[in-house]
């Protein structure tokens, strides 16, 4: 019997923009890190930063069983035919190891951005025609319509920048079957002021995108929560920070709200593009 996507990715994974680096001189470092993540017990590696199968394939080749997914590839970034060809190539070489995560990105980042829901529907139609199976793709869904599409046309959803409350609402829309794998940002800092400062500096880049701010308002936050880099209430809702017990409790809250899998993104102050390998080890230990 073929394992379900939920069984394959397990309960925890790593979300990383650093692992999608295109610097050829870092290839060995990235591959070694992916292999260690597998040994640490993470079930999936999710690649941020508008990633594609081209970023995932080397990491799949460097590991034995961990799933590597895009989180996400924008539908405006690469046409469906090229995406389908890349999927077929990596699937032939490493069956079941790649998950195609798709999203509609954000208006400020895309020229001629228009009708994002219709664009996603059309893209999925083309993938269907090209033979990319629905059970090997997931959508970066926030609102009810895109979550419904994740249920009906994909294997599930990989929401970004959300809370346990959003996770519970998403699970209600998805039902029991589809994968629900929210991303959660983690700051391994126990001092509240320093933790929130690090979190707020990272959050600022997302507060200019209506997809996220609109979702926050739907979730019950106010304009005041979104202003000036985000309120403590907002920061504490979308980041896990503190000691090991507090971080473990925050991750558990997502599972209790209905998440099958939580993709953990380490956030550090002024870390550049270095890999947070020490932090990944710490998280693996506290979640074991």
């Amino acid at each position: 019997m073929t394992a379900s996507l939920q069984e394959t990715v397990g309960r925890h994974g790593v979300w990383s923009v650093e692992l999608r680096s295109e610097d050829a001189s870092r290839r060995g470092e990235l591959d070694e890190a992916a292999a260690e993540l597998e040994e640490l017990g993470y079930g999936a590696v999710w690649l941020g930063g508008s990633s594609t199968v081209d970023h995932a394939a080397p990491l799949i080749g460097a590991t034995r069983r961990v799933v590597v997914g895009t989180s996400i590839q924008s539908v405006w970034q690469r046409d469906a035919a090229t995406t389908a060809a890349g999927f077929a190539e990596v699937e032939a070489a490493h069956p079941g190891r790649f998950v195609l995560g798709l999203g509609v990105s954000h208006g400020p980042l895309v020229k001629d951005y228009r009708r994002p829901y219709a664009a996603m529907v059309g893209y999925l139609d083309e993938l269907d025609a090209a033979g990319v199976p629905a059970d090997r793709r997931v959508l970066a869904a926030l609102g009810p319509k895109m979550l419904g599409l994740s249920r009906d046309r994909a294997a599930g959803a990989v929401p970004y920048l959300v809370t346990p409350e959003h996770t519970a609402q998403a699970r209600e829309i998805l039902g029991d079957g589809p994968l629900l794998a929210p991303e959660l940002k983690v700051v391994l800092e126990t001092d509240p002021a320093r933790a929130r400062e690090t979190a707020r500096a990272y959050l600022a880049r997302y507060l200019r995108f209506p997809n996220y701010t609109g979702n926050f308002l739907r979730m019950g936050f106010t304009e005041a929560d979104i202003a000036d880099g985000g309120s403590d209430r907002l920061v504490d809702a979308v980041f896990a920070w503190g000691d090991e017990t507090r971080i473990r409790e925050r991750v558990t809250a997502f599972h209790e709200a209905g998440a099958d899998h939580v993709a953990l993104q380490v956030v550090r102050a002024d870390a550049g593009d270095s890999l947070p390998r020490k932090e990944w080890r710490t998280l693996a230990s506290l979640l074991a």
Side-chain angles (χ1 to χ4, degrees):
M1 178 181 293
T2 302
S4 68
L5 187 55
Q6 285 90 334
E7 293 171 323
T8 304
V9 301
R11 287 175 63 79
H12 305 111
V14 162
W15 192 104
S16 172
V17 71
E18 301 93 351
L19 282 169
R20 71 170 294 285
S21 173
E22 297 175 359
D23 183 349
S25 69
R26 300 187 66 194
R27 185 73 268 152
E29 175 194 10
L30 302 180
D31 292 349
E32 179 185 280
E36 183 183 17
L37 290 172
E38 182 173 75
E39 292 305 310
L40 288 170
Y42 293 106
V45 173
W46 301 95
L47 301 179
S50 296
S51 52
T52 71
V53 67
D54 296 340
H55 300 104
L59 300 179
I60 293 172
T63 51
R64 295 178 291 120
R65 62 183 180 275
V66 72
V67 171
V68 183
T70 53
S71 182
I72 50 79
Q73 177 185 312
S74 166
V75 299
W76 313 100
Q77 174 184 3
R78 175 173 286 196
D79 65 73
T82 303
T83 295
F87 178 92
E89 183 176 349
V90 75
E91 179 67 11
H94 305 283
R97 298 281 309 283
F98 175 66
V99 175
L100 176 63
L102 295 169
V104 294
S105 189
H106 307 278
L109 299 179
V110 177
K111 184 181 179 181
D112 299 326
Y113 191 81
R114 64 198 181 281
R115 301 179 64 203
Y117 181 83
M120 178 63 80
V121 170
Y123 202 92
L124 295 176
D125 289 343
E126 292 185 61
L127 292 181
D128 286 345
V132 176
D135 64 2
R136 299 290 302 289
R137 61 199 191 204
V138 291
L139 307 185
L142 294 177
K145 287 182 65 177
M146 200 65 78
L147 283 164
L149 199 62
S150 303
R151 176 195 62 219
D152 299 337
R153 301 288 305 276
V158 286
Y160 187 87
L161 200 61
V162 293
T163 65
E165 291 75 18
H166 180 275
T167 298
Q169 295 170 15
R171 175 51 72 195
E172 184 174 350
I173 294 170
L174 291 172
D176 293 334
L179 175 73
L180 179 54
E183 173 269 352
L184 173 62
K185 296 170 179 58
V186 179
V187 180
L188 290 170
E189 171 59 65
T190 58
D191 179 82
R194 286 197 296 267
R196 288 177 176 138
E197 181 182 9
T198 297
R200 191 169 280 112
Y202 196 78
L203 178 63
R205 71 192 69 186
Y206 298 108
L207 295 181
R208 61 193 180 96
F209 296 137
N211 294 24
Y212 292 129
T213 56
N215 193 52
F216 289 147
L217 295 174
R218 281 197 302 270
M219 290 160 56
F221 293 100
T222 67
E223 294 287 355
D225 287 313
I226 297 169
D228 302 320
S231 66
D232 284 355
R233 175 186 176 221
L234 180 61
V235 167
D236 292 353
V238 297
F239 285 80
W241 60 266
D243 60 20
E244 292 190 359
T245 297
R246 178 168 176 163
I247 289 174
R248 188 184 299 112
E249 289 173 348
R250 293 286 293 137
V251 176
T252 299
F254 279 83
H255 285 299
E256 291 179 343
D260 301 295
H261 173 96
V262 180
L264 302 165
Q265 178 183 182
V266 171
V267 174
R268 301 165 293 167
D270 303 320
D273 62 355
S274 64
L275 299 175
R277 297 180 67 171
K278 178 182 177 182
E279 290 85 353
W280 289 337
R281 293 170 194 140
T282 296
L283 289 174
S285 176
L286 71 88
L287 294 172

